[in-house]
Amino acid sequence: MLNIRDFGATGDGVHHDTAAINAAIARAAQSGATVVIPEGRFLSFSIRLLSGITLRLDAGAVLEAADPDRHGGAYDLPEDNPHDLYQDFGHSHWHNSLIWGENLERVTICGPGHIDGVGLTREGPGSMWKRQSGEFPLSMRGLSAKVMAELTPDLSAMQGLGNKAIALKNCRHVVLSDFTLARGGHFAVLATGCDDLDIANLTIDTNRDGLDIDGCRRVRIHGCRVNTPNDDAIVLKSSFALGERRATEDVDIVDCHVSGFDPGTLLDGTFGRAQQLSPDQDRVTGRIKIGTESYGDFRRIHIRDCRFERSRGLALETVDGGTIEDVTAENLTLSDITTAPLFLRLGARLRGPDGTTPGAIRRVTIRNMTATDILPDYSALIVGLAQYPIEDVTLDTVSFTYRGGFVGSPGTPDELAAAYPEPSMFGPTPAYGLWTRHVRGLSLTHVNLATDGPDARPNIILEDTHLRGA
């Protein structure tokens, strides 16, 4: 056990303790020791993990991300990445973080203490891909150039800033457990190209993404509470950040609670509901999602015993050439759902190297899923492309109850193959309960669609959809 105070850390919340923490980690790596952050408030810039260590935050410990302007320092610069063309700045760099590790083995970060990313930025440049089709959701079309510049600052503005709370690249046998993380920047946790990753019993209340798992294998996320009104709570991705088509596969998401309460109100227990919109101008987010970065594949994903509250619904999206297959989601309870309860989208944004073609979604089972108090504008959606239909989807024992009260009779939505995937992309849906298009092998068993108020639209429309066995 190596206490960072023995290496000169003050924990006074005034002077940053970066050097002391990194010195303790360097010593611990020599023998595989545990670095202890004791009770106190420890300011820090970039902390560099090493193989074989455990970083433990004791009860009463707060590791605070320092502010470069106020605390006289800077985070590690974003490292060069020759593969940064097809994903945004946040996905393309790891060193510019409060805690980062690269090419490591056997690393643990554990609680019960806190990480406060108050000195981090949640913004960053978009991708440098020249086509820019589907770079931003269609819901952002009305934003001014000034607001867009604030959301996506120039690369030069990121120098010295911390962009993530925890960033891991090409690591093996990693455990993240039992700590609380607030205000995590662009990503509270970004894991890219990591294998054998166990994330357990975390409480995250943050101002953008919660857990981003990108091109990782053998991942278990269990017992986590993640509140993210401004972006996704738990999201699986498969970007080109490592310069290869690397699948995210063999992932279990179990017994997790995701939500979109006001920032900070999960931690203080008030569960605020004042914020109505996310930065993309749709209603608050806070969901579990596969995609949108989807150049690589997603295989053998199991989501079970999870709860969604005041959030968007479950989303499976591939638009950049990757295949989503063998996904099971079961025993899900959703309430106060802010867009669609279920969204499966196969599109053709094709943000990847020349020659990238649309991918596939196949063998998806949704079982024992109940959603109530759903925004009436958007039904559940399962929407592929005419020449690339979604295949073999099973809805078994599913119940969706909408608020009702929608007025109007929407027409058939456009195809919008290259658009950023969100349920709102098509506008209000022609059915109130379930709308499908370009689907082969759909099975519907014990599917209940209802409204709490009047809605003149039909409960279900199956467009260019072949039912299994029909």
Side-chain angles (χ1 to χ4, degrees), residues 65-363:
D67 185 312
D69 290 335
R70 293 194 298 117
H71 299 123
Y75 291 87
D76 290 348
L77 296 179
E79 70 277 34
D80 291 337
N81 183 354
H83 313 297
D84 64 354
L85 182 59
Y86 303 113
Q87 60 285 326
D88 64 25
F89 176 86
H91 291 90
S92 300
H93 308 280
W94 297 264
H95 294 187
N96 56 332
S97 305
L98 174 59
I99 303 172
W100 66 267
E102 183 175 355
N103 298 321
L104 305 182
E105 296 186 1
R106 297 170 289 106
V107 174
T108 295
I109 304 173
C110 59
H114 288 232
I115 298 172
D116 186 348
V118 61
L120 302 174
T121 176
R122 68 173 301 281
E123 312 303 354
S127 77
M128 295 182 289
W129 189 44
K130 298 304 181 185
R131 278 179 53 193
Q132 294 300 308
S133 299
E135 177 71 9
F136 300 105
L138 296 177
S139 55
M140 299 177 72
R141 285 177 295 188
L143 293 181
S144 67
K146 179 181 178 181
V147 172
M148 290 300 297
E150 292 172 352
L151 294 173
T152 56
D154 291 337
L155 182 62
S156 59
M158 304 304 295
Q159 301 305 296
L161 300 184
N163 187 238
K164 291 161 281 284
I166 299 173
L168 304 167
K169 176 184 177 184
N170 292 333
C171 295
R172 307 289 180 268
H173 303 291
V174 176
V175 175
L176 307 176
S177 68
D178 302 304
F179 57 83
T180 296
L181 199 161
R183 298 180 284 197
H186 192 152
F187 305 115
V189 176
L190 173 65
T192 308
C194 295
D195 294 342
D196 302 297
L197 176 61
D198 195 310
I199 302 175
N201 305 318
L202 301 188
T203 299
I204 298 175
D205 192 338
T206 188
N207 43 356
R208 197 163 178 182
D209 274 10
L211 301 174
D212 268 55
I213 310 302
D214 186 357
C216 296
R217 301 177 294 210
R218 297 182 299 279
V219 179
R220 188 163 189 256
I221 303 170
H222 51 110
C224 295
R225 297 191 304 160
V226 187
N227 185 61
T228 58
N230 295 315
D231 221 316
D232 298 310
I234 300 173
V235 54
L236 308 182
K237 298 181 176 179
S238 188
S239 74
F240 193 67
L242 299 178
E244 61 178 327
R245 190 186 291 273
R246 196 178 199 276
T248 291
E249 57 189 9
D250 299 306
V251 179
D252 288 329
I253 302 173
V254 183
D255 190 27
C256 291
H257 177 210
V258 295
S259 60
F261 298 115
D262 295 348
T265 65
L266 173 67
L267 294 185
D268 68 19
T270 60
F271 307 107
R273 296 169 178 265
Q275 179 179 336
Q276 296 299 311
L277 301 180
S278 292
D280 68 1
Q281 304 306 296
D282 275 343
R283 295 181 185 270
V284 293
T285 316
R287 64 186 161 193
I288 297 175
K289 184 174 84 171
I290 297 176
T292 299
E293 284 74 9
S294 48
Y295 177 71
D297 298 335
F298 303 85
R299 306 188 191 100
R300 298 181 298 279
I301 313 297
H302 193 188
I303 304 165
R304 63 179 173 88
D305 303 322
C306 292
R307 181 182 173 197
F308 298 56
E309 188 172 7
R310 196 173 192 260
S311 76
R312 301 179 194 179
L314 178 68
L316 282 65
E317 309 166 354
T318 179
V319 293
D320 298 325
T323 292
I324 298 174
E325 60 186 0
D326 300 313
V327 176
T328 299
E330 57 186 343
N331 306 331
L332 306 183
T333 302
L334 295 76
S335 61
D336 191 2
I337 298 306
T338 59
T339 55
L342 179 66
F343 181 53
L344 275 64
R345 173 58 171 166
L346 171 56
R349 179 175 68 173
L350 306 182
R351 194 168 70 174
D354 290 345
T356 299
T357 57
I361 298 179
R362 55 189 175 223
R363 298 191 299 275

Side-chain angles (χ1 to χ4, degrees), residues 308-467:
F308 298 56
E309 188 172 7
R310 196 173 192 260
S311 76
R312 301 179 194 179
L314 178 68
L316 282 65
E317 309 166 354
T318 179
V319 293
D320 298 325
T323 292
I324 298 174
E325 60 186 0
D326 300 313
V327 176
T328 299
E330 57 186 343
N331 306 331
L332 306 183
T333 302
L334 295 76
S335 61
D336 191 2
I337 298 306
T338 59
T339 55
L342 179 66
F343 181 53
L344 275 64
R345 173 58 171 166
L346 171 56
R349 179 175 68 173
L350 306 182
R351 194 168 70 174
D354 290 345
T356 299
T357 57
I361 298 179
R362 55 189 175 223
R363 298 191 299 275
V364 175
T365 297
I366 311 295
R367 181 188 300 120
N368 297 331
M369 179 178 180
T370 300
T372 57
D373 194 17
I374 306 167
L375 183 81
D377 302 47
Y378 315 113
S379 69
L381 300 93
I382 305 174
V383 184
L385 301 173
Q387 298 192 12
Y388 296 89
I390 294 173
E391 305 172 84
D392 299 324
V393 175
T394 297
L395 303 187
D396 180 4
T397 314
V398 170
S399 177
F400 296 152
T401 303
Y402 298 81
R403 294 173 195 161
F406 181 85
V407 177
S409 300
T412 301
D414 294 335
E415 293 284 345
L416 300 175
Y420 187 101
E422 279 292 346
S424 64
M425 64 190 291
F426 299 108
T429 50
Y432 77 74
L434 174 64
W435 172 56
T436 71
R437 183 165 66 186
H438 308 318
V439 182
R440 301 290 181 269
L442 175 65
S443 175
L444 303 176
T445 305
H446 304 299
V447 174
N448 179 62
L449 305 170
T451 64
D452 290 327
D455 194 317
R457 295 172 295 175
N459 66 345
I460 185 169
I461 292 178
L462 306 181
E463 180 186 342
D464 186 26
T465 295
H466 296 180
L467 295 175

